[in-house]
Amino acid sequence: MLRVAVVGSGPSGCYTAQSLVQLDPEVRVDVLDRLPCPYGLVRYGVAPDHEKIKSLQGNLRTVLEHERVRFLGGVRIGPGGPSAARLRELYHAVVYCVGAATDRHLGIPGEDLPGSWSATEFVSWYSAHPDAGAGDFVLGARSAVVIGVGNVAVDVARMLARGPAELSPTDMPQPALAALAASRVTDIHIAGRRGPSQARFTTKELRELGALPGTDVSVDPAELALDPAWLDPSALPAPQRRNVEVLRDWTRTPATGAARRMRLRFFLRPIALLPDGGRVGAVRFERTRPDGRGGVTGTGRYEDIEAQLVLRSVGYRGVPLEGLPFDAASGTVPHLAGRVLREGVVAPGEYVAGWIKRGPTGVIGTNRPCAKETVLSLLEDADVVAQKEIPGDPLTVLRAEGLDPVEWPGWQAIERAEARLGASLGRGVVKLPDWESLLTAARQAGSG
């Protein structure tokens, strides 16, 4: 019988566990996560108003409730928990599905000014990630600039424009809901250094901006006209072509009387965040133009956009895992079809899947074939890795070494506590926002 540890309970981890139990009728899988809650970015990255995507948790739940799969939350790999070397001793194989845990920086002056945040920090706050803590993102802000033109940029801009009536039915934590309900942000700018035909958002996300109540959305036709594909987008791939068609509808004179104004800006490259009273007060952009090779070049002309809140959304990066090799250039673990490579040589029994394997690309569904490729590699190696002797049930050993993982009943107790919290606030389910409340709830597993 093969015992496998899957590190990470997001989509890539759950799909890895699913493929393992589907393809091997005897394998036993422990899904370990640093957090006491499962589902990874589906719980802590998907916008709270995207109920359809969040409903994917039901599919992931089915995997984690499988009779040969065990969820072990609150287990940190590395300092404070078992090392990668220790996991190799406890399991026949270990699959790391840890995602890309940090955000990219702009590398420009003023980026660290108060009021300047990564979109990741903002998303973690309104998604109740226990590491996020309290945030004063919108406090005192009238104008916000979101740097980036991908789906995360659109998500955070949409959250800034939502009103309490739209956010209250979601599972957003109460402190974030109260802060956004009191927000005085009236101007939201989404800026990218290239043109509309190269923006990375999906058309569905883009269209949602135009349906926001009380928000006027517009685009400067002069900026769009700089894009060679603007007049005739027929040669573009279908997603980009549809984006351009949506943006055409917003090239009009802004409506008057709207509570909020949202502007999508193109061909603007941020070069500095400008201070005002010790905080960020504006973003200085250099205007760009197409260079004829798919990129852009600077024009030497500049524009300052007022902003007391700046959210950068320019991509994610993987971070090194203690005890594993790491390619700093790509932010991934070197691998061959999911098999970890140490100095170019396959490391028996060690595997990767998800973003730490391929980089932060694709959508949630992309993780399914990625995980299956890794699982097929693991099962091809099964005769070799199963020869290693392991000390019985790894959970028994981990407990003897002082760990107290949050098992599935503990997670179910957290769910019950979140339902009770929501009911007490006159809302639906409301997430618990901090480590103490989550772990306190998990300890109530035996109380019904």
Side-chain angles (χ1 to χ4, degrees):
M1 179 184 68
L2 204 62
R3 283 198 178 273
V4 179
V6 172
V7 180
S9 66
S12 62
C14 287
Y15 291 148
T16 296
Q18 183 179 50
S19 288
L20 280 165
V21 296
Q22 286 178 343
L23 297 175
D24 185 330
E26 295 186 352
V27 68
R28 296 290 188 274
V29 183
D30 285 348
V31 179
L32 285 63
D33 203 292
R34 182 178 69 87
L35 299 175
C37 308
Y39 312 138
L41 282 179
V42 176
R43 175 174 168 90
Y44 289 120
V46 174
D49 61 341
H50 274 176
E51 286 299 324
K52 185 174 182 180
I53 302 175
K54 289 174 72 67
S55 68
L56 179 63
Q57 290 183 18
N59 297 339
L60 304 185
R61 171 186 291 274
T62 300
V63 176
L64 295 175
E65 289 182 333
H66 190 281
E67 61 183 3
R68 288 184 283 122
V69 176
R70 191 162 54 182
F71 173 70
L72 303 178
V75 179
R76 180 188 297 270
I77 308 306
S83 65
R86 185 61 172 142
L87 281 189
R88 290 198 300 273
E89 294 170 351
L90 296 178
Y91 293 89
H92 293 113
V94 183
V95 187
Y96 292 91
C97 308
V98 292
T102 191
D103 58 277
R104 294 182 182 272
H105 289 256
L106 296 169
I108 59 176
E111 187 170 9
D112 295 327
L113 282 168
S116 168
W117 307 81
S118 72
T120 306
E121 292 171 303
F122 187 55
V123 170
S124 293
W125 171 69
Y126 68 58
S127 298
H129 194 293
D131 289 343
D136 59 353
F137 296 92
V138 297
L139 187 64
R142 302 179 306 276
S143 179
V145 169
V146 180
I147 299 173
V149 284
N151 279 346
V152 174
V154 171
D155 278 349
V156 299
R158 195 177 66 254
M159 287 298 102
L160 288 171
R162 287 285 193 203
E166 302 148 67
L167 294 176
S168 184
T170 74
D171 61 5
M172 179 178 286
Q174 191 68 16
L177 175 64
L180 290 173
S183 169
R184 297 181 179 275
V185 172
T186 56
D187 289 273
I188 304 163
H189 309 264
I190 306 174
R193 62 187 176 87
R194 298 196 291 180
S197 69
Q198 295 167 312
R200 306 293 294 181
F201 33 60
T202 56
T203 307
K204 179 179 181 295
E205 294 257 358
L206 185 62
R207 285 193 180 114
E208 287 180 350
L209 297 181
L212 289 168
T215 301
D216 179 71
V217 182
S218 65
V219 188
D220 184 346
E223 290 179 357
L224 300 179
L226 294 172
D227 193 323
W230 171 246
L231 287 176
D232 181 12
S234 60
L236 291 173
Q240 284 74 37
R241 185 179 69 250
R242 289 193 293 266
N243 285 344
V244 169
E245 291 167 353
V246 171
L247 291 167
R248 284 180 185 275
D249 293 337
W250 296 339
T251 55
R252 50 179 165 69
T253 302
T256 58
R260 288 172 295 274
R261 295 168 294 278
M262 186 178 295
R263 305 287 177 264
L264 279 81
R265 305 294 307 274
F266 296 97
F267 296 108
L268 291 177
R269 176 166 57 202
I271 61 168
L273 272 56
L274 308 180
D276 180 12
R279 294 178 55 85
V280 65
V283 184
R284 177 158 293 168
F285 291 96
E286 180 182 17
R287 286 203 156 278
T288 62
R289 62 170 180 264
D291 63 6
R293 300 184 301 276
V296 293
T297 185
T299 64
R301 293 184 292 118
Y302 303 94
E303 177 180 345
D304 294 349
I305 298 179
E306 177 191 353
Q308 297 79 36
L309 169 63
V310 176
L311 298 171
R312 67 175 181 273
S313 179
V314 291
Y316 298 92
R317 278 190 60 79
V319 296
L321 288 81
E322 186 172 306
L324 281 183
F326 187 73
D327 179 354
S330 63
T332 61
V333 171
H335 70 93
L336 178 64
R339 298 177 175 93
V340 171
L341 296 175
R342 293 183 178 271
E343 298 182 353
V345 179
V346 168
E350 293 182 293
Y351 305 85
V352 286
W355 280 2
I356 200 64
K357 170 186 174 183
R358 67 181 191 274
T361 61
V363 295
I364 290 175
T366 311
N367 290 293
R368 192 183 292 274
C370 172
K372 187 171 184 180
E373 178 192 54
T374 295
V375 168
L376 289 174
S377 293
L378 190 161
L379 294 179
E380 286 175 8
D381 303 341
D383 290 344
V384 175
V385 299
Q387 293 178 13
K388 179 176 69 174
E389 290 191 16
I390 60 173
D393 185 349
L395 179 55
T396 303
V397 177
L398 291 172
R399 283 179 173 152
E401 294 177 353
L403 287 180
D404 184 20
V406 174
E407 297 184 69
W408 196 251
W411 160 239
Q412 291 175 310
I414 291 172
E415 289 184 302
R416 291 193 295 272
E418 293 183 336
R420 289 194 299 270
L421 174 60
S424 72
L425 296 168
R427 299 173 57 195
V429 171
V430 173
K431 288 180 182 172
L432 299 173
D434 59 82
W435 280 97
E436 182 179 0
S437 59
L438 288 168
L439 294 176
T440 298
R443 287 193 287 269
Q444 304 302 313
S447 64

